[in-house]
Amino acid sequence: MSRVAVIGAGAAGLMAALELKAAGHEVIVLEARERVGGRIHTVHFSNGSWANAGAEWVNTTDVIVHELCERYGLDLTPRYGFESYAFDGRLEHRDEDFEQIGEEVEKLAASLSDRDEPWNDPVARSLDRSNVAEWLRGLEHIDPDVRRRYPVYIRGEYMVEPEELSLASLVLAHSGTAGDGYARFTAGTAALTAAMASDLGSARILLNTPVQAITTAASSVTVVTATDRYIVDAAVVAIPLPALQRIKTDPETDFPWLGQGRGGKLLVPYRDRLWESARPAADAAATRFEFIYDNASHQTNAAGVLAAYSMEILDEAEVLDSFATWFPGLPAPSESPIRAWWSTELESGTTYSAPRPGDLDALRRLREPFGRVRLAGEHTEIVFGYIESALASGRRVAQAIDQAAAEGASA
């Protein structure tokens, strides 16, 4: 049995801690926030509505998510309700327009020979030298208007500009997930991390405990907070890369960097869901955001929550003006909107990762050990950005630590 410190109580950190605990290791989780969950965060309004301020979507291919739902008795609700893109300031749901582009992505995905270690795949390496914008310009057989609109989808899905996103990342993400069957947690995504934390036990989780420094030696790791020092056999760092940059390391460690998404959500509560019965007006709104949807569509009360989802940090008045333009007669919000701009939070600094051209080698290195320290989080997975990605990383790292401990004990 070894002693392991897990830094971060998001989905990745909790998964790593649970797996290590189950394998018989002694675990302590250090979390900077006053809550567990990380970028999984369900917020509540006074009228009884709630909304997912962070991660929420679950795919049919998410094996670990479904495993945990069965373990903890959590329900999923199929995706439905109002949602729309904002093209040129007008609301349109045009996924069907992108089917041809999706077919082109599928062709590239079919040409991959090693999706588990794409840095060893010549095709993936070639794709990693290009960005999505360059590739899109070359699809001259596809309607120019569709190609002009597709960047709105990229911004809304990956929270970066198409020029910033590696073509390899787009193809790998597409090949690793099902394109249909999205659902969300019936009781909010935080029900998952709350159940995981309860299973782990509150005594093993220290909230409001940001880590200041990590010192590694040949046979131990020292994790330093403002009030304590934890000397352990291994450490799991399960926080986003921008937050990791804030921790001092000794010896100094130059952790690889991946492209990072930015922005987040503005969650606006209303007394009823007027948008379900009213057709959006044809007028164009002066807006900078990419996607709007009902974040509370599956809740039983009449109230609703419209989410403006954007890679830009939006002014509240701009969002409300856009909603009023699209839905004339929409009343004022029932209470103040909730801002969830993840890239501005010190504990995250990003929405989720969005690898740039040339980032394949950085991804490979992020998955390797740094002495007795290992990294977990969605940014360390081939298919990045999902709840499943974070959970898979936690399990993978826990298994590696358990194996290393077993080999050390038998040596």
Side-chain angles (χ1 to χ4, degrees):
M1 181 181 73
S2 61
R3 296 162 298 164
V4 184
V6 176
I7 302 171
L14 292 173
M15 190 70 197
L18 284 168
E19 297 280 297
L20 289 164
K21 173 192 170 188
H25 300 282
E26 181 183 332
V27 182
I28 186 74
V29 179
L30 307 174
E31 168 56 48
R33 290 184 174 94
E34 61 183 10
R35 60 172 179 82
V36 301
R39 286 168 288 173
I40 289 177
H41 187 34
T42 302
V43 296
H44 297 264
F45 295 95
S46 62
N47 63 9
S49 294
W50 51 261
N52 292 307
E56 59 186 310
W57 300 116
V58 175
N59 203 292
T60 53
T61 54
D62 292 348
V63 175
I64 303 176
V65 171
H66 287 91
E67 171 194 318
L68 294 177
C69 284
E70 184 174 351
R71 180 189 302 179
Y72 299 126
L74 301 175
D75 294 324
L76 297 172
T77 298
R79 179 177 190 165
Y80 71 91
F82 171 77
E83 55 183 57
S84 182
Y85 295 103
F87 293 114
D88 300 326
R90 294 178 172 83
L91 292 186
E92 302 177 43
H93 194 71
R94 303 284 294 275
D95 274 344
E96 63 276 6
D97 281 356
F98 302 145
E99 288 180 358
Q100 280 185 288
I101 297 179
E103 291 171 0
E104 296 297 324
V105 176
E106 288 178 4
K107 291 178 185 177
L108 295 177
S111 68
L112 297 175
S113 60
D114 193 344
R115 300 182 190 182
D116 294 330
E117 296 184 344
W119 41 86
N120 294 329
D121 186 335
V123 173
R125 282 214 168 266
S126 176
L127 297 176
D128 195 44
R129 290 192 286 269
S130 300
N131 66 55
V132 172
E134 293 171 337
W135 169 74
L136 192 60
R137 286 193 293 269
L139 300 179
E140 296 180 353
H141 61 289
I142 292 177
D143 185 336
D145 189 54
V146 172
R147 285 185 283 140
R148 183 182 67 84
R149 290 167 177 264
Y150 191 67
V152 174
Y153 164 79
I154 293 294
R155 295 186 194 107
E157 186 73 12
Y158 298 99
M159 308 302 270
V160 293
E161 295 288 352
E163 292 82 1
E164 300 174 82
L165 184 66
S166 162
L167 180 56
S169 298
L170 175 68
V171 173
L172 288 165
H174 180 87
S175 67
T177 58
D180 58 2
Y182 282 110
R184 63 180 108 183
F185 286 85
T186 305
T189 319
L192 172 64
T193 47
M196 294 173 72
S198 177
D199 190 2
L200 183 61
S202 59
R204 292 184 176 88
I205 305 172
L206 300 182
L207 301 177
N208 296 306
T209 309
V211 170
Q212 298 178 340
I214 302 172
T215 299
T216 55
S219 60
S220 66
V221 179
T222 302
V223 178
V224 181
T225 69
T227 57
D228 290 290
R229 300 166 65 88
Y230 300 88
I231 301 175
V232 293
D233 300 301
V236 176
V237 180
I239 58 177
L241 291 176
L244 175 56
Q245 286 192 318
R246 297 167 54 82
I247 297 177
K248 296 179 180 179
T249 54
D250 183 16
E252 186 174 346
T253 305
D254 186 16
F255 293 107
W257 183 261
L258 297 178
Q260 300 292 300
R262 54 193 179 270
K265 305 177 185 180
L266 184 74
L267 303 168
V268 187
Y270 292 95
R271 291 185 177 84
D272 55 46
R273 299 187 178 100
L274 180 144
W275 50 84
E276 290 186 347
S277 57
R279 183 172 181 173
D283 295 337
T287 185
R288 294 173 294 154
F289 58 93
E290 292 77 34
F291 198 60
I292 170 180
Y293 67 101
D294 187 344
N295 199 292
S297 60
H298 64 294
Q299 296 177 47
T300 56
N301 61 6
V305 179
L306 277 183
Y309 191 58
S310 175
M311 58 173 280
E312 301 232 15
I313 297 171
L314 304 172
D315 178 73
E316 186 176 306
E318 172 188 339
V319 174
L320 298 182
D321 286 347
S322 297
F323 288 177
T325 298
W326 291 324
F327 298 105
L330 188 70
S334 57
E335 58 189 277
S336 297
I338 293 178
R339 302 164 60 87
W341 306 119
W342 293 100
S343 52
T344 66
E345 290 200 358
L346 295 179
E347 297 86 358
S348 55
T350 181
T351 49
Y352 38 82
S353 58
R356 308 157 302 182
D359 274 354
L360 267 182
D361 282 324
L363 175 59
R364 172 188 57 79
R365 182 68 183 100
L366 286 171
R367 293 165 64 88
E368 297 173 350
F370 296 83
R372 290 177 172 268
V373 175
R374 290 182 179 269
L375 306 187
E378 53 81 18
H379 54 281
T380 68
E381 293 301 298
I382 311 301
V383 178
F384 54 92
Y386 288 94
I387 302 167
E388 179 77 6
S389 309
L391 296 170
S393 75
R395 173 167 287 176
R396 174 177 54 79
V397 167
Q399 290 173 346
I401 290 174
D402 184 53
Q403 180 178 348
E407 291 173 351
S410 63

